[in-house]
Short mmCIF file of all heavy atoms in Angstrom, two decimals:
data_model
loop_
_atom_site.label_atom_id
_atom_site.label_comp_id
_atom_site.label_asym_id
_atom_site.label_seq_id
_atom_site.Cartn_x
_atom_site.Cartn_y
_atom_site.Cartn_z
N ASP A 144 23.91 -101.50 -35.31
CA ASP A 144 23.14 -102.39 -36.18
C ASP A 144 22.92 -101.83 -37.58
O ASP A 144 22.23 -102.41 -38.40
CB ASP A 144 21.79 -102.73 -35.53
CG ASP A 144 21.04 -101.49 -35.06
OD1 ASP A 144 21.34 -100.40 -35.61
OD2 ASP A 144 20.19 -101.61 -34.17
N ASP A 145 23.55 -100.66 -37.87
CA ASP A 145 23.35 -100.10 -39.21
C ASP A 145 24.47 -100.50 -40.18
O ASP A 145 24.51 -100.04 -41.30
CB ASP A 145 23.25 -98.57 -39.14
CG ASP A 145 24.48 -97.94 -38.50
OD1 ASP A 145 25.31 -98.70 -37.94
OD2 ASP A 145 24.61 -96.71 -38.55
N LYS A 146 25.36 -101.40 -39.76
CA LYS A 146 26.46 -101.82 -40.63
C LYS A 146 25.99 -102.40 -41.97
O LYS A 146 26.50 -102.01 -43.02
CB LYS A 146 27.37 -102.83 -39.92
CG LYS A 146 28.46 -102.19 -39.07
CD LYS A 146 29.67 -101.80 -39.90
CE LYS A 146 30.61 -100.84 -39.17
NZ LYS A 146 31.27 -101.43 -38.01
N PRO A 147 25.00 -103.31 -41.98
CA PRO A 147 24.57 -103.86 -43.27
C PRO A 147 24.11 -102.76 -44.22
O PRO A 147 24.35 -102.81 -45.42
CB PRO A 147 23.41 -104.79 -42.90
CG PRO A 147 23.66 -105.16 -41.48
CD PRO A 147 24.29 -103.94 -40.85
N GLU A 148 23.50 -101.75 -43.63
CA GLU A 148 22.99 -100.65 -44.42
C GLU A 148 24.14 -99.81 -44.98
O GLU A 148 24.07 -99.29 -46.10
CB GLU A 148 22.12 -99.83 -43.47
CG GLU A 148 21.39 -98.68 -44.06
CD GLU A 148 20.76 -97.88 -42.92
OE1 GLU A 148 20.48 -98.45 -41.85
OE2 GLU A 148 20.55 -96.68 -43.13
N LYS A 149 25.23 -99.72 -44.21
CA LYS A 149 26.37 -98.91 -44.65
C LYS A 149 27.23 -99.61 -45.69
O LYS A 149 27.91 -98.96 -46.47
CB LYS A 149 27.26 -98.58 -43.45
CG LYS A 149 26.75 -97.44 -42.61
CD LYS A 149 27.83 -97.10 -41.60
CE LYS A 149 27.42 -96.00 -40.65
NZ LYS A 149 28.13 -96.17 -39.37
N TYR A 150 27.25 -100.93 -45.65
CA TYR A 150 28.12 -101.68 -46.56
C TYR A 150 27.31 -102.67 -47.36
O TYR A 150 27.47 -103.89 -47.21
CB TYR A 150 29.23 -102.39 -45.78
CG TYR A 150 30.05 -101.45 -44.95
CD1 TYR A 150 29.92 -101.40 -43.58
CD2 TYR A 150 30.94 -100.57 -45.57
CE1 TYR A 150 30.65 -100.50 -42.82
CE2 TYR A 150 31.68 -99.67 -44.82
CZ TYR A 150 31.53 -99.64 -43.45
OH TYR A 150 32.25 -98.76 -42.71
N PRO A 151 26.41 -102.18 -48.22
CA PRO A 151 25.44 -103.08 -48.86
C PRO A 151 26.09 -104.16 -49.72
O PRO A 151 25.62 -105.29 -49.72
CB PRO A 151 24.59 -102.13 -49.70
CG PRO A 151 25.38 -100.88 -49.84
CD PRO A 151 26.25 -100.79 -48.65
N LEU A 152 27.20 -103.82 -50.42
CA LEU A 152 27.78 -104.79 -51.35
C LEU A 152 28.28 -106.02 -50.58
O LEU A 152 28.05 -107.17 -50.97
CB LEU A 152 28.92 -104.13 -52.13
CG LEU A 152 29.46 -104.93 -53.29
CD1 LEU A 152 28.37 -105.23 -54.29
CD2 LEU A 152 30.60 -104.18 -53.98
N MET A 153 28.97 -105.75 -49.47
CA MET A 153 29.49 -106.81 -48.63
C MET A 153 28.40 -107.78 -48.19
O MET A 153 28.55 -109.00 -48.28
CB MET A 153 30.12 -106.16 -47.40
CG MET A 153 30.49 -107.09 -46.30
SD MET A 153 31.97 -107.96 -46.66
CE MET A 153 33.05 -106.63 -47.09
N PHE A 154 27.27 -107.25 -47.73
CA PHE A 154 26.22 -108.12 -47.22
C PHE A 154 25.44 -108.79 -48.35
O PHE A 154 24.98 -109.91 -48.21
CB PHE A 154 25.30 -107.36 -46.26
CG PHE A 154 26.00 -107.07 -44.97
CD1 PHE A 154 26.74 -105.91 -44.81
CD2 PHE A 154 25.99 -108.00 -43.94
CE1 PHE A 154 27.43 -105.67 -43.63
CE2 PHE A 154 26.68 -107.77 -42.76
CZ PHE A 154 27.40 -106.60 -42.61
N ALA A 155 25.34 -108.09 -49.48
CA ALA A 155 24.63 -108.68 -50.61
C ALA A 155 25.38 -109.92 -51.10
O ALA A 155 24.79 -110.84 -51.64
CB ALA A 155 24.50 -107.67 -51.74
N GLU A 156 26.71 -109.95 -50.90
CA GLU A 156 27.49 -111.06 -51.44
C GLU A 156 27.86 -112.11 -50.40
O GLU A 156 28.51 -113.09 -50.72
CB GLU A 156 28.75 -110.51 -52.13
CG GLU A 156 28.34 -109.70 -53.35
CD GLU A 156 29.50 -109.18 -54.17
OE1 GLU A 156 30.65 -109.30 -53.71
OE2 GLU A 156 29.23 -108.65 -55.25
#
Side-chain angles (χ1 to χ4, degrees):
Chain A
D144 51 22
D145 57 350
K146 274 277 165 66
E148 184 188 334
K149 279 189 183 152
Y150 303 106
L152 191 58
M153 169 77 51
F154 289 89
E156 294 184 351

